[in-house]
Short mmCIF file of all heavy atoms in Angstrom, two decimals:
data_model
loop_
_atom_site.label_atom_id
_atom_site.label_comp_id
_atom_site.label_asym_id
_atom_site.label_seq_id
_atom_site.Cartn_x
_atom_site.Cartn_y
_atom_site.Cartn_z
N ALA A 776 16.24 -30.77 -16.91
CA ALA A 776 17.17 -31.93 -17.22
C ALA A 776 17.22 -32.17 -18.69
O ALA A 776 16.15 -32.28 -19.29
CB ALA A 776 16.75 -33.14 -16.39
N MET A 777 18.42 -32.30 -19.23
CA MET A 777 18.54 -32.55 -20.65
C MET A 777 18.35 -34.03 -20.96
O MET A 777 18.63 -34.91 -20.15
CB MET A 777 19.99 -32.10 -21.11
CG MET A 777 20.28 -32.40 -22.54
SD MET A 777 21.96 -31.83 -23.01
CE MET A 777 21.60 -30.09 -23.22
N GLY A 778 17.88 -34.28 -22.23
CA GLY A 778 17.72 -35.69 -22.63
C GLY A 778 16.60 -35.81 -23.60
O GLY A 778 15.73 -34.92 -23.73
N SER A 779 16.56 -36.92 -24.28
CA SER A 779 15.47 -37.19 -25.26
C SER A 779 14.21 -37.51 -24.45
O SER A 779 14.20 -37.73 -23.25
CB SER A 779 15.80 -38.34 -26.17
OG SER A 779 15.91 -39.54 -25.38
N ARG A 780 13.11 -37.68 -25.18
CA ARG A 780 11.85 -38.08 -24.49
C ARG A 780 11.98 -39.48 -23.91
O ARG A 780 11.46 -39.79 -22.87
CB ARG A 780 10.66 -37.91 -25.45
CG ARG A 780 10.44 -36.51 -25.94
CD ARG A 780 9.09 -36.34 -26.61
NE ARG A 780 9.02 -35.02 -27.27
CZ ARG A 780 8.76 -33.88 -26.57
NH1 ARG A 780 8.48 -33.95 -25.30
NH2 ARG A 780 8.69 -32.69 -27.20
N ARG A 781 12.69 -40.33 -24.62
CA ARG A 781 12.87 -41.72 -24.12
C ARG A 781 13.72 -41.64 -22.81
O ARG A 781 13.41 -42.34 -21.87
CB ARG A 781 13.61 -42.55 -25.19
CG ARG A 781 13.87 -43.97 -24.66
CD ARG A 781 14.55 -44.82 -25.75
NE ARG A 781 13.69 -44.93 -26.94
CZ ARG A 781 14.11 -45.56 -28.08
NH1 ARG A 781 15.35 -46.09 -28.13
NH2 ARG A 781 13.32 -45.60 -29.08
N THR A 782 14.74 -40.75 -22.81
CA THR A 782 15.60 -40.61 -21.63
C THR A 782 14.73 -40.08 -20.49
O THR A 782 14.85 -40.54 -19.37
CB THR A 782 16.70 -39.67 -21.95
OG1 THR A 782 17.56 -40.20 -22.94
CG2 THR A 782 17.57 -39.43 -20.66
N HIS A 783 13.85 -39.15 -20.84
CA HIS A 783 13.03 -38.57 -19.78
C HIS A 783 12.12 -39.62 -19.19
O HIS A 783 11.91 -39.68 -17.96
CB HIS A 783 12.15 -37.43 -20.32
CG HIS A 783 11.04 -36.99 -19.43
ND1 HIS A 783 11.31 -36.30 -18.21
CD2 HIS A 783 9.69 -37.21 -19.47
CE1 HIS A 783 10.16 -36.10 -17.54
NE2 HIS A 783 9.16 -36.59 -18.33
N THR A 784 11.47 -40.46 -20.01
CA THR A 784 10.57 -41.47 -19.50
C THR A 784 11.32 -42.45 -18.57
O THR A 784 10.81 -42.79 -17.52
CB THR A 784 9.90 -42.27 -20.68
OG1 THR A 784 9.21 -41.35 -21.49
CG2 THR A 784 8.99 -43.40 -20.22
N ASP A 785 12.48 -42.85 -19.02
CA ASP A 785 13.34 -43.78 -18.22
C ASP A 785 13.76 -43.12 -16.87
O ASP A 785 13.65 -43.71 -15.81
CB ASP A 785 14.55 -44.24 -18.98
CG ASP A 785 15.51 -45.05 -18.15
OD1 ASP A 785 15.12 -46.21 -17.89
OD2 ASP A 785 16.58 -44.60 -17.76
N ARG A 786 14.14 -41.83 -17.00
CA ARG A 786 14.58 -41.06 -15.78
C ARG A 786 13.39 -40.91 -14.80
O ARG A 786 13.61 -41.08 -13.61
CB ARG A 786 15.12 -39.75 -16.21
CG ARG A 786 15.60 -38.88 -15.09
CD ARG A 786 15.83 -37.49 -15.57
NE ARG A 786 16.98 -37.36 -16.52
CZ ARG A 786 16.99 -36.69 -17.65
NH1 ARG A 786 15.85 -36.12 -18.09
NH2 ARG A 786 18.05 -36.67 -18.38
N ALA A 787 12.23 -40.56 -15.32
CA ALA A 787 11.09 -40.37 -14.45
C ALA A 787 10.73 -41.66 -13.72
O ALA A 787 10.35 -41.63 -12.51
CB ALA A 787 9.89 -39.91 -15.25
N ALA A 788 10.83 -42.80 -14.36
CA ALA A 788 10.60 -44.11 -13.79
C ALA A 788 11.59 -44.39 -12.69
O ALA A 788 11.23 -44.86 -11.59
CB ALA A 788 10.56 -45.21 -14.80
N ARG A 789 12.86 -44.09 -12.93
CA ARG A 789 13.88 -44.31 -11.89
C ARG A 789 13.68 -43.40 -10.68
O ARG A 789 13.90 -43.80 -9.54
CB ARG A 789 15.26 -44.05 -12.55
CG ARG A 789 15.71 -45.11 -13.56
CD ARG A 789 17.00 -44.62 -14.22
NE ARG A 789 17.43 -45.56 -15.28
CZ ARG A 789 18.28 -46.61 -15.12
NH1 ARG A 789 18.77 -46.85 -13.92
NH2 ARG A 789 18.60 -47.31 -16.17
N LEU A 800 7.87 -34.70 -8.81
CA LEU A 800 8.27 -34.95 -10.20
C LEU A 800 7.67 -33.87 -11.15
O LEU A 800 8.31 -33.54 -12.19
CB LEU A 800 7.77 -36.32 -10.70
CG LEU A 800 8.59 -37.54 -10.17
CD1 LEU A 800 7.90 -38.82 -10.52
CD2 LEU A 800 10.01 -37.51 -10.68
N LEU A 803 9.89 -30.98 -12.44
CA LEU A 803 11.02 -31.19 -13.37
C LEU A 803 10.66 -30.70 -14.74
O LEU A 803 9.61 -31.15 -15.33
CB LEU A 803 11.37 -32.67 -13.38
CG LEU A 803 12.53 -33.07 -14.33
CD1 LEU A 803 13.81 -32.38 -13.98
CD2 LEU A 803 12.70 -34.61 -14.29
N ARG A 804 11.50 -29.89 -15.34
CA ARG A 804 11.33 -29.48 -16.76
C ARG A 804 12.23 -30.33 -17.59
O ARG A 804 13.47 -30.20 -17.67
CB ARG A 804 11.77 -28.00 -16.90
CG ARG A 804 10.95 -27.01 -16.07
CD ARG A 804 9.73 -26.65 -16.84
NE ARG A 804 8.74 -25.94 -16.04
CZ ARG A 804 7.80 -25.22 -16.47
NH1 ARG A 804 7.57 -25.10 -17.79
NH2 ARG A 804 6.90 -24.64 -15.70
N SER A 805 11.64 -31.31 -18.25
CA SER A 805 12.35 -32.29 -19.03
C SER A 805 11.49 -32.82 -20.14
O SER A 805 10.30 -33.21 -19.95
CB SER A 805 12.85 -33.41 -18.15
OG SER A 805 13.45 -34.48 -18.87
N PRO A 806 11.98 -32.87 -21.42
CA PRO A 806 13.33 -32.31 -21.87
C PRO A 806 13.43 -30.84 -21.59
O PRO A 806 12.45 -30.09 -21.74
CB PRO A 806 13.32 -32.67 -23.32
CG PRO A 806 12.32 -33.76 -23.49
CD PRO A 806 11.24 -33.50 -22.49
#
Side-chain angles (χ1 to χ4, degrees):
M777 177 178 280
S779 66
R780 299 193 188 279
R781 179 180 297 177
T782 297
H783 168 70
T784 300
D785 175 71
R786 181 191 291 133
R789 291 173 184 267
L800 286 172
L803 180 60
R804 298 275 169 163
S805 175

